[in-house]
Amino acid sequence: MALVTPDNHGLRLWTRYSVLVLVAVIFIFPLLFMAMSSLKPDQQLLSDTNSLRAFLPVGDISMQNYTDAFERAPIGVFVVNSVLITGATVLFTLFVCSLAAFSFVFLEWSGRGLIFSILLATLIIPYESIFIPLLLMVSQLPWIGTGGLEWGWLNTYRVQIIPFIADGLSIFLFVQYFKDLPRELIEASRVEGASWWTIYRRVVMPLSGPVIATAAILKFLFMYNQYLWPLMVVQAEEIRPVMVGLGYFTDQLNVPWGEVMAYLTVITIPVLAFYLSLQRVFIASVASTGVKG
Amino acid sequence: MRYGPILAAAMLGGMASAAAAQTELSLWYHGAGSANAEEALVNQLVEEFNASQSDYTVVIETFPQGAYNDAVGAAALAGKLPDILDVDGPVMPNWAWAGYMQPLGIDEAKLDGFLPGPIGRWNGEVYSVGLWDAAVAMTTRRSTLEDNGIRVPTLDAPWSLEEFNGALATLKASGKFEYPLDLGMAWTGEWYPYAFSPLLQSFGGDIVDRSTYQTAEGVLNGDEAIAFGEWWQSLFEMGYAPGTSQDAADRDTGLLNGKYAIAWNGNWAALPVVEAFGDDALFLPAPDFGNGSTIGAASWQFGVSGTSEHPDGARAFIEFALQDRWFTAFSDGTGLIPVTAAAAADTQNYKPGGALEVFYGLSEAQALVRPVTPGYLVQAKVFEKALADIANGADVADTLDAAVDEINEDIEANNGYGH
């Protein structure tokens, strides 16, 4: 058995931190490049890509790209739309999927094993492959709105939210987490006369912070990055989300890269804020469930 | 007095019913976020049409250009197309074939005097009309040519292949330029078929056989096409032109700052050249490589969707737009080429003696629309890849053969695209 001396302990620490710093640099450089590039005129931005200057606030620095980007596209509207759509979907997903998982883990009903297997099988189907039939379906669905019964969900907020509320991955995450909760807690609650709803609300969910954070972050990222679906179902600018808005910065020949970087910097802020606010519980959840995100 | 409220209610009711009688027409436009004045002018056009009559109200939805075609495809699938569509000229045959569009049905006398590019024809019928066109030219400085003893070509006597190659060799040997020719390889997508297929056509080849539109065999891989491919590859091998790794910023400013001697570029990039070089700026016709001198044509156009329930209203809007004053306004606002000579005469840039007058002449004399076939969407991408591969050193004959196979397979898979 090797002895841990002060010398090799220091070496291990040094190696460990070197690796961590290297990984951190690899992850942070794209963000740094984006933020720094958003401050530079196009010509300088492109010429700086050949050197480390690309990651530094040097040369002709200004906020002009931000001014131009805000003039080119209604960025505020897009960000509000995305936050609204994403936020609503995340909230409904957490509620619906946790209830479904609760049913799979704690309630006894015939066929739940089979249905759970089918649900898991849906994880291997890419969303993009069902978009065409989904489009045809939502374009014919009824809705009761302010003007009474109407047909078709296209060009609405709901068509960007409802189809994504229930998903196999979130249910799977909740199921895995719920299985590890002490059974004694549930049984004791039942003995005390608590209803299933009370157990879900008062016992299970308060103990599920890490999985709620994990499911919320994964769903947030998926929804916030949605491009193809809103492109297909939304025509009105006032309900368009941020990723489709990126198209405002390209035409047939030219791409104003500085403005693109400014736009990306602005729309990245909500994602970073959301992640940082849940970072601690997310890491705890990853450590406990082995989710690789 | 007591009849006052009743009278007012009756008047309001009358106004409401008049407003309700107006049929709403939806118009989809591709240019959301465009930096120039085009979007504002389209909005102005809509406002003036709405104010000019009481039967229809056009409501515009704008899309970012990169997402527009996909949005139209999805809407067609869902049966939710608008009444009026904005369509890129070479894309129109595909949309017409797929049923996204219907024949325009306007009096073709209204199109007399138009440049050829802005009229979108498919299967013998007009499906779309544009309010502007674009053109490309060999852009350079008179002093550059004269200092190097190079003849200034004209529309009647463009450069021949030998002359053009000689000019490039001379400019390269002068040592004054990093590259004698800028083809715009930093740009991708539609630029390739728009700007480079005319060069292939001048050699005698084409993207697809236009007599039947059923094959690319013999035209994209025949002797003429191979000769073009070898010449094309030589431009990069001999250091005459920057290749696919060209810096986009150099594309924008390389000619202006003296990095390049000649740039193959469009009228949309011409004003900065005039501002920088004044009378020294030259916009020259495409060289004639043996089979005539041609340039690309057809830009964005308006048409009526295949599912519109109000084609009369959509047609009325498009006819309203087909006025010289609009052609002039769009040209002045965007710098693009007006579609009639009368409109050109009233523009700032294309009037006789205007800074860009030469481009109208180029469009009039040399314009050739890209292959008028629904298969063009695939063919354009195949052509782009083939040219990029050849520029990067791929075997010319093999690459063109592979491109022909890909195009032919697509035509076959689509049962000939209705030709």
Side-chain angles (χ1 to χ4, degrees):
Chain A
M1 187 177 162
L3 289 174
V4 179
T5 64
D7 278 352
N8 66 20
H9 177 70
L11 185 67
R12 278 185 194 178
L13 269 183
W14 191 88
T15 309
R16 184 180 299 166
Y17 278 107
S18 297
V19 170
L20 288 175
V21 166
L22 184 68
V23 171
V25 162
I26 289 170
F27 278 87
I28 209 157
F29 260 33
L31 286 174
L32 205 57
F33 173 78
M34 177 181 74
M36 293 304 113
S37 298
S38 72
L39 303 171
K40 300 173 183 177
D42 279 3
Q43 200 165 358
Q44 188 195 330
L45 185 163
L46 292 167
S47 59
D48 281 358
T49 53
N50 297 323
S51 69
L52 277 176
R53 289 171 61 89
F55 304 101
L56 300 171
V58 293
D60 186 5
I61 297 296
S62 77
M63 297 297 284
Q64 188 59 43
N65 287 326
Y66 287 88
T67 307
D68 294 344
F70 273 90
E71 276 176 14
R72 185 186 286 265
I75 298 176
V77 173
F78 296 160
V79 171
V80 167
N81 286 338
S82 274
V83 169
L84 187 72
I85 292 161
T86 304
T89 313
V90 167
L91 287 177
F92 285 126
T93 295
L94 293 178
F95 180 63
V96 169
C97 294
S98 62
L99 270 182
F102 183 89
S103 155
F104 280 120
V105 175
F106 300 115
L107 304 186
E108 297 288 336
W109 46 282
S110 59
R112 63 176 175 158
L114 176 67
I115 290 180
F116 187 62
S117 300
I118 293 171
L119 207 67
L120 285 185
T122 65
L123 294 181
I124 62 170
I125 302 171
Y127 263 111
E128 289 76 8
S129 67
I130 62 164
F131 274 179
I132 300 293
L134 196 59
L135 170 70
L136 295 174
M137 204 163 77
V138 297
S139 68
Q140 305 295 333
L141 286 177
W143 186 262
I144 298 173
T146 50
L149 182 67
E150 51 193 62
W151 294 91
W153 287 14
L154 297 185
N155 222 13
T156 59
Y157 281 117
R158 64 178 174 273
V159 76
Q160 301 181 72
I161 296 170
I162 295 174
F164 303 98
I165 289 175
D167 80 89
L169 178 62
S170 298
I171 294 173
F172 172 72
L173 291 176
F174 277 109
V175 164
Q176 292 302 102
Y177 191 85
F178 288 170
K179 276 181 177 173
D180 291 338
L181 291 177
R183 280 275 167 178
E184 295 79 6
L185 283 175
I186 312 299
E187 285 158 10
S189 304
R190 290 296 286 171
V191 168
E192 293 293 326
S195 67
W196 285 117
W197 171 245
T198 303
I199 293 172
Y200 165 80
R201 196 163 56 91
R202 294 279 176 83
V203 180
V204 173
M205 291 310 281
L207 291 171
S208 303
V211 72
I212 290 173
T214 305
I217 286 176
L218 294 178
K219 192 62 157 187
F220 186 98
L221 289 176
F222 174 79
M223 290 304 296
Y224 198 77
N225 289 329
Q226 282 262 34
Y227 173 75
L228 187 58
W229 180 251
L231 174 72
M232 292 167 71
V233 297
V234 170
Q235 289 92 45
E237 186 174 70
E238 56 271 21
I239 56 171
R240 205 166 271 162
V242 289
M243 288 305 161
V244 179
L246 193 54
Y248 282 57
F249 297 88
T250 58
D251 61 24
Q252 271 178 319
L253 301 175
N254 287 312
V255 177
W257 288 111
E259 289 181 45
V260 169
M261 293 300 164
Y263 182 75
L264 291 175
T265 304
V266 170
I267 68 172
T268 301
I269 291 170
V271 183
L272 281 179
F274 187 74
Y275 178 76
L276 291 175
S277 68
L278 295 177
Q279 185 184 21
R280 196 174 294 274
V281 269
F282 179 70
I283 291 168
S285 171
V286 169
S288 63
T289 64
V291 173
K292 300 297 185 288
Chain B
M1 284 294 285
R2 59 186 172 147
Y3 294 110
I6 298 171
L7 193 61
M11 285 173 67
L12 281 172
M15 286 165 66
S17 64
Q22 282 197 319
T23 303
E24 193 171 292
L25 303 172
S26 49
L27 182 161
W28 285 8
Y29 167 68
H30 76 280
S34 57
N36 63 35
E38 189 180 298
E39 186 179 357
L41 282 162
V42 171
N43 281 318
Q44 188 187 336
L45 172 62
V46 167
E47 282 170 23
E48 290 199 23
F49 172 75
N50 289 344
S52 72
Q53 43 72 56
S54 55
D55 294 332
Y56 304 104
T57 302
V58 172
V59 177
I60 188 168
E61 290 288 1
T62 59
F63 295 76
Q65 181 164 320
Y68 181 71
N69 288 359
D70 292 331
V72 170
L77 202 62
K80 304 288 182 186
L81 282 171
D83 295 290
I84 305 162
L85 277 169
D86 181 24
V87 58
D88 196 11
V91 173
M92 180 277 294
N94 185 280
W95 288 7
W97 168 74
Y100 298 2
M101 300 180 73
Q102 58 179 289
L104 208 48
I106 63 168
D107 178 4
E108 290 198 25
K110 290 180 185 299
L111 306 178
D112 286 347
F114 267 50
L115 290 172
I119 302 174
R121 287 185 195 278
W122 160 247
N123 268 354
E125 293 190 271
V126 176
Y127 275 78
S128 57
V129 182
L131 309 187
W132 60 83
D133 204 355
V136 289
M138 288 289 171
T139 307
T140 185
R141 304 176 67 170
R142 183 178 294 278
S143 57
T144 298
L145 301 187
E146 289 178 352
D147 290 351
N148 289 280
I150 298 167
R151 179 179 73 88
V152 175
T154 62
L155 261 177
D156 293 332
W159 281 322
S160 66
L161 178 62
E162 292 71 27
E163 265 187 302
F164 187 55
N165 285 342
L168 297 181
T170 302
L171 292 166
K172 178 80 179 170
S174 74
K176 292 178 184 167
F177 308 99
E178 195 170 313
Y179 292 100
L181 178 64
D182 166 28
L183 289 161
M185 300 296 281
W187 290 346
T188 54
E190 194 55 31
W191 173 248
Y192 271 62
Y194 172 70
F196 304 144
S197 68
L199 306 179
L200 165 64
Q201 287 147 8
S202 188
F203 265 87
D206 209 334
I207 296 176
V208 65
D209 183 350
R210 297 191 190 215
S211 64
T212 62
Y213 284 112
Q214 295 304 299
T215 181
E217 188 69 43
V219 291
L220 187 53
N221 61 352
D223 292 343
E224 296 85 358
I226 289 173
F228 161 78
E230 286 169 351
W231 170 78
W232 176 257
Q233 195 166 58
S234 74
L235 294 176
F236 309 101
E237 284 178 348
M238 298 175 76
Y240 287 168
T244 52
S245 60
Q246 183 190 27
D247 193 324
D250 284 343
R251 171 54 170 166
D252 290 338
T253 59
L255 180 75
L256 300 176
N257 61 28
K259 206 170 198 174
Y260 309 134
I262 304 171
W264 184 229
N265 210 339
N267 60 298
W268 57 87
L271 277 177
V273 178
V274 174
E275 284 163 15
F277 302 144
D279 290 342
D280 200 25
L282 274 182
F283 303 102
L284 306 171
D288 181 352
F289 295 131
N291 283 272
S293 172
T294 60
I295 57 172
S299 185
W300 286 84
Q301 303 168 355
F302 288 115
V304 183
S305 86
T307 54
S308 173
E309 292 174 1
H310 312 290
D312 290 343
R315 194 178 303 120
F317 171 77
I318 293 170
E319 286 181 342
F320 180 81
L322 299 182
Q323 299 181 54
D324 281 339
R325 69 186 179 96
W326 287 114
F327 307 152
T328 302
F330 274 96
S331 178
D332 285 344
T334 65
L336 289 165
I337 301 172
V339 297
T340 66
D346 287 336
T347 62
Q348 295 161 12
N349 297 315
Y350 296 92
K351 65 187 176 189
L356 307 181
E357 182 195 7
V358 61
F359 281 100
Y360 188 88
L362 293 175
S363 261
E364 195 171 33
Q366 298 191 314
L368 178 65
V369 292
R370 283 151 279 180
V372 187
T373 173
Y376 174 78
L377 298 191
V378 170
Q379 292 158 17
K381 294 202 181 307
V382 174
F383 180 74
E384 178 189 1
K385 183 177 181 307
L387 257 59
D389 287 349
I390 292 171
N392 288 324
D395 181 81
V396 173
D398 288 350
T399 305
L400 293 178
D401 279 342
V404 166
D405 289 346
E406 202 173 341
I407 288 173
N408 286 358
E409 281 167 19
D410 177 64
I411 293 171
E412 200 177 325
N414 287 282
N415 298 317
Y417 279 116
H419 285 285

